[in-house]
Amino acid sequence: MTSRHGSGSGGARIAPWIIVAVVSVVVIAGAVTAYVFITRDNKAAATCTSQVVLEVVAAPGAAPAIEAAAAAFDATNPVARSACVTTDVTAAPGSQTASDLADGWTAQPSQGPALWFPDSAADLATLETQDSAMTAGRNPAPMAASPVVLAVRSTDAAAVTAANLQWKDLITAAGPTGSVTLPDGGKLILALPDPTTNRATSDALQSVLAGTTSATIDPSVVATNAPALAGLAAGGPAVPPATTLDALADLQAGNAGFAAVPIVASEFAQLAEQNPGLTTVSLGGPTGGDQIFGVPITASWVNPTMDDAASAFLAYLRGPAGAQVLTDQDLAAASAVSLADAGASVDAALASAIGSPGATGAAPTADGTAPATASPGPSGAPTSGASTPTTTTTTTTTTGS
């Protein structure tokens, strides 16, 4: 005989109808959950009667953040005038885009953009000088920014930070006879890649000049300060690194012959893992850098649906979710950059002042006119990370339909 407290087969049994009921509840719950997820994901798509591609062009300083934001925006299943929206982001130098837009995009085989994100006020001004109607109604304020900083070895950062420098102080603090002495006894020698092709060098030198004068930075201001600027380049490598990437590699190696190189803060953040042992130091005073503008384009190739899609993307970027994406991509508030880029004529004058290999070697003329320089190529856009500023890359996000 088996006790009723034993483990035999004579214990209480669960009625079959209870098992059936439990299984039914589980199946129904699973079906409801799947339905909720499917309908939620396809709700927007179900309202679409067509598809539209929002073409976006972004300058180098804006492209990584805008590509990430476009992917996040597309994941919200945006709809414009009953059309499901996907976003295509192409990276291109700002000066090239300004020229192409002013020419009606006829030189490009691709569809013209409905949105442009320049990283320079000068590039935006170039277009608006030629065709102000194309950008009419845009928000005049930058939506984000990234200041120029100095990349240095981590072992030198404390000494440079302790000097509490403003950009204008580099005139006396940097160079072989400068006031800043590093832990190894060396001096704060700068590497200055050609400012006509390197936006970080241009931003840094413009920041130096802005601290010395209240006048608008133009070639005449560069001419007046050419000896001081030449002193900044003194002591550095006879042939400066072609790009900031090259300069970072040399700096990390420890035998570069220089101790610092200008770089845009957001770019360094993206490259930091590739360059262990380096860090950045921020300087005070008026500071240049990338200023990211969101510019809807009015042109023959932009139809009302594209225009609405562009407005929706801009609204997303200026909302909490979009702002967080920009922050995650190492962009700062617009106030981080207080000095607008002065443009290509100043870049050419700066190159001459510091004796860049790409310059003619002649100093700016006494009346402030920049000397003639060789054509910088189709793009003409300073870029700190690429040795060939004409390179264009395209990233397409494919979600959102």
Side-chain angles (χ1 to χ4, degrees):
M1 178 180 296
T2 303
S3 166
R4 63 190 180 100
H5 296 294
S7 59
S9 59
R13 295 175 179 172
I14 299 175
W17 68 268
I18 295 178
I19 296 174
V20 172
V22 170
V23 171
S24 298
V25 169
V26 171
V27 171
I28 292 172
V32 169
T33 300
Y35 173 79
V36 168
F37 277 101
I38 292 171
T39 55
R40 182 185 65 183
D41 290 344
N42 292 328
K43 182 178 180 181
T47 65
C48 297
T49 59
S50 61
Q51 305 283 328
V52 66
V53 177
L54 173 60
E55 297 290 349
V56 175
V57 174
I66 298 305
E67 288 168 0
F73 172 67
D74 282 2
T76 68
N77 298 314
V79 177
R81 297 186 177 233
S82 298
C84 282
V85 178
T86 56
T87 310
D88 179 86
V89 179
T90 300
S95 58
Q96 174 183 319
T97 303
S99 176
D100 288 340
L101 286 170
D103 290 340
W105 210 251
T106 55
Q108 296 293 335
S110 61
Q111 169 73 32
L115 262 179
W116 177 35
F117 291 92
D119 59 15
S120 162
D123 292 335
L124 185 52
T126 295
L127 173 60
E128 293 182 333
T129 298
Q130 299 177 70
D131 190 346
S132 60
M134 188 169 278
T135 64
R138 70 172 178 86
N139 190 321
M143 63 172 49
S146 186
V148 64
V149 294
L150 289 182
V152 300
R153 287 183 289 271
S154 299
T155 52
D156 293 336
V160 180
T161 300
N164 196 28
L165 299 174
Q166 295 197 356
W167 285 103
K168 66 178 181 179
D169 297 332
L170 286 179
I171 294 173
T172 55
T177 60
S179 60
V180 174
T181 300
L182 303 176
D184 64 358
K187 292 294 186 176
L188 184 60
I189 305 297
L190 302 181
L192 297 173
D194 188 344
T196 64
T197 57
N198 187 290
R199 71 186 194 276
T201 298
S202 177
D203 290 335
L205 295 179
Q206 290 183 54
S207 299
V208 170
L209 293 175
T212 66
T213 179
S214 59
T216 300
I217 305 302
D218 61 16
S220 67
V221 172
V222 177
T224 300
N225 292 275
L229 295 175
L232 283 179
V239 179
T243 71
T244 303
L245 289 179
D246 293 338
L248 292 178
D250 293 344
L251 193 59
Q252 186 184 30
N255 56 358
F258 58 89
V261 62
I263 188 170
V264 177
S266 60
E267 184 175 21
F268 182 84
Q270 294 158 16
L271 299 172
E273 290 187 2
Q274 303 171 35
N275 294 278
L278 302 183
T279 188
T280 61
V281 176
S282 299
L283 276 63
T287 302
D290 291 342
Q291 292 182 302
I292 313 301
F293 296 86
V295 184
I297 299 299
T298 300
S300 60
W301 59 82
V302 180
N303 62 35
T305 302
M306 295 176 185
D307 189 56
D308 282 4
S311 296
F313 187 33
L314 285 174
Y316 174 82
L317 286 170
R318 293 191 180 276
Q324 186 61 53
V325 174
L326 298 183
T327 299
D328 291 344
Q329 293 296 311
D330 303 300
L331 291 179
S335 59
V337 172
S338 57
L339 182 64
D341 180 28
S345 64
V346 167
D347 292 338
L350 291 170
S352 292
I354 65 173
S356 290
T360 61
T365 60
D367 64 1
T369 303
T373 59
S375 171
S379 73
T383 174
S384 61
S387 59
T388 54
T390 58
T391 299
T392 299
T393 58
T394 302
T395 299
T396 304
T397 58
T398 56
T399 59
S401 60

PDB file of all heavy atoms in Angstrom, residues 376-389:
ATOM      1  N   PRO A 376      42.759  74.354 -55.518  1.00  0.00           N
ATOM      2  CA  PRO A 376      42.744  73.246 -54.584  1.00  0.00           C
ATOM      3  C   PRO A 376      42.022  72.025 -55.117  1.00  0.00           C
ATOM      4  O   PRO A 376      41.843  71.055 -54.412  1.00  0.00           O
ATOM      5  CB  PRO A 376      41.988  73.821 -53.371  1.00  0.00           C
ATOM      6  CG  PRO A 376      41.087  74.853 -53.975  1.00  0.00           C
ATOM      7  CD  PRO A 376      41.842  75.417 -55.145  1.00  0.00           C
ATOM      8  N   GLY A 377      41.579  72.052 -56.365  1.00  0.00           N
ATOM      9  CA  GLY A 377      40.871  70.904 -56.915  1.00  0.00           C
ATOM     10  C   GLY A 377      39.385  71.112 -56.894  1.00  0.00           C
ATOM     11  O   GLY A 377      38.892  72.152 -56.468  1.00  0.00           O
ATOM     12  N   PRO A 378      38.617  70.142 -57.330  1.00  0.00           N
ATOM     13  CA  PRO A 378      37.181  70.301 -57.460  1.00  0.00           C
ATOM     14  C   PRO A 378      36.486  70.631 -56.164  1.00  0.00           C
ATOM     15  O   PRO A 378      35.492  71.331 -56.152  1.00  0.00           O
ATOM     16  CB  PRO A 378      36.720  68.930 -57.985  1.00  0.00           C
ATOM     17  CG  PRO A 378      37.943  68.317 -58.603  1.00  0.00           C
ATOM     18  CD  PRO A 378      39.082  68.833 -57.824  1.00  0.00           C
ATOM     19  N   SER A 379      36.974  70.133 -55.047  1.00  0.00           N
ATOM     20  CA  SER A 379      36.237  70.372 -53.812  1.00  0.00           C
ATOM     21  C   SER A 379      36.632  71.682 -53.162  1.00  0.00           C
ATOM     22  O   SER A 379      35.790  72.433 -52.711  1.00  0.00           O
ATOM     23  CB  SER A 379      36.486  69.220 -52.829  1.00  0.00           C
ATOM     24  OG  SER A 379      37.784  69.309 -52.318  1.00  0.00           O
ATOM     25  N   GLY A 380      37.934  71.932 -53.080  1.00  0.00           N
ATOM     26  CA  GLY A 380      38.413  73.140 -52.435  1.00  0.00           C
ATOM     27  C   GLY A 380      38.050  73.229 -50.975  1.00  0.00           C
ATOM     28  O   GLY A 380      38.039  74.292 -50.399  1.00  0.00           O
ATOM     29  N   ALA A 381      37.715  72.132 -50.345  1.00  0.00           N
ATOM     30  CA  ALA A 381      37.194  72.178 -48.990  1.00  0.00           C
ATOM     31  C   ALA A 381      38.213  71.693 -47.989  1.00  0.00           C
ATOM     32  O   ALA A 381      38.727  70.597 -48.101  1.00  0.00           O
ATOM     33  CB  ALA A 381      35.946  71.310 -48.881  1.00  0.00           C
ATOM     34  N   PRO A 382      38.529  72.527 -46.987  1.00  0.00           N
ATOM     35  CA  PRO A 382      39.437  72.045 -45.965  1.00  0.00           C
ATOM     36  C   PRO A 382      38.856  70.837 -45.248  1.00  0.00           C
ATOM     37  O   PRO A 382      37.681  70.797 -44.928  1.00  0.00           O
ATOM     38  CB  PRO A 382      39.558  73.247 -45.005  1.00  0.00           C
ATOM     39  CG  PRO A 382      39.196  74.426 -45.842  1.00  0.00           C
ATOM     40  CD  PRO A 382      38.152  73.921 -46.797  1.00  0.00           C
ATOM     41  N   THR A 383      39.679  69.856 -45.013  1.00  0.00           N
ATOM     42  CA  THR A 383      39.249  68.676 -44.268  1.00  0.00           C
ATOM     43  C   THR A 383      40.420  68.200 -43.457  1.00  0.00           C
ATOM     44  O   THR A 383      41.537  68.138 -43.947  1.00  0.00           O
ATOM     45  CB  THR A 383      38.758  67.563 -45.215  1.00  0.00           C
ATOM     46  OG1 THR A 383      38.498  66.398 -44.436  1.00  0.00           O
ATOM     47  CG2 THR A 383      39.756  67.225 -46.282  1.00  0.00           C
ATOM     48  N   SER A 384      40.207  67.903 -42.196  1.00  0.00           N
ATOM     49  CA  SER A 384      41.345  67.572 -41.343  1.00  0.00           C
ATOM     50  C   SER A 384      41.718  66.106 -41.391  1.00  0.00           C
ATOM     51  O   SER A 384      42.808  65.738 -41.005  1.00  0.00           O
ATOM     52  CB  SER A 384      41.043  67.971 -39.893  1.00  0.00           C
ATOM     53  OG  SER A 384      39.934  67.287 -39.403  1.00  0.00           O
ATOM     54  N   GLY A 385      40.845  65.239 -41.866  1.00  0.00           N
ATOM     55  CA  GLY A 385      41.130  63.840 -41.752  1.00  0.00           C
ATOM     56  C   GLY A 385      41.488  63.130 -43.028  1.00  0.00           C
ATOM     57  O   GLY A 385      41.956  62.006 -43.003  1.00  0.00           O
ATOM     58  N   ALA A 386      41.279  63.713 -44.173  1.00  0.00           N
ATOM     59  CA  ALA A 386      41.502  63.007 -45.428  1.00  0.00           C
ATOM     60  C   ALA A 386      42.570  63.704 -46.238  1.00  0.00           C
ATOM     61  O   ALA A 386      42.617  64.909 -46.343  1.00  0.00           O
ATOM     62  CB  ALA A 386      40.215  62.937 -46.236  1.00  0.00           C
ATOM     63  N   SER A 387      43.422  62.920 -46.850  1.00  0.00           N
ATOM     64  CA  SER A 387      44.492  63.512 -47.644  1.00  0.00           C
ATOM     65  C   SER A 387      43.996  63.932 -49.016  1.00  0.00           C
ATOM     66  O   SER A 387      44.648  64.679 -49.706  1.00  0.00           O
ATOM     67  CB  SER A 387      45.638  62.512 -47.787  1.00  0.00           C
ATOM     68  OG  SER A 387      45.185  61.324 -48.399  1.00  0.00           O
ATOM     69  N   THR A 388      42.826  63.444 -49.408  1.00  0.00           N
ATOM     70  CA  THR A 388      42.241  63.819 -50.692  1.00  0.00           C
ATOM     71  C   THR A 388      40.858  64.393 -50.458  1.00  0.00           C
ATOM     72  O   THR A 388      39.878  63.665 -50.359  1.00  0.00           O
ATOM     73  CB  THR A 388      42.137  62.607 -51.629  1.00  0.00           C
ATOM     74  OG1 THR A 388      41.423  61.560 -50.938  1.00  0.00           O
ATOM     75  CG2 THR A 388      43.500  62.111 -52.033  1.00  0.00           C
ATOM     76  N   PRO A 389      40.747  65.726 -50.321  1.00  0.00           N
ATOM     77  CA  PRO A 389      39.467  66.314 -49.961  1.00  0.00           C
ATOM     78  C   PRO A 389      38.403  66.170 -51.024  1.00  0.00           C
ATOM     79  O   PRO A 389      37.278  66.555 -50.816  1.00  0.00           O
ATOM     80  CB  PRO A 389      39.820  67.799 -49.723  1.00  0.00           C
ATOM     81  CG  PRO A 389      41.086  68.016 -50.496  1.00  0.00           C
ATOM     82  CD  PRO A 389      41.806  66.714 -50.450  1.00  0.00           C
TER      83      PRO A 389
END
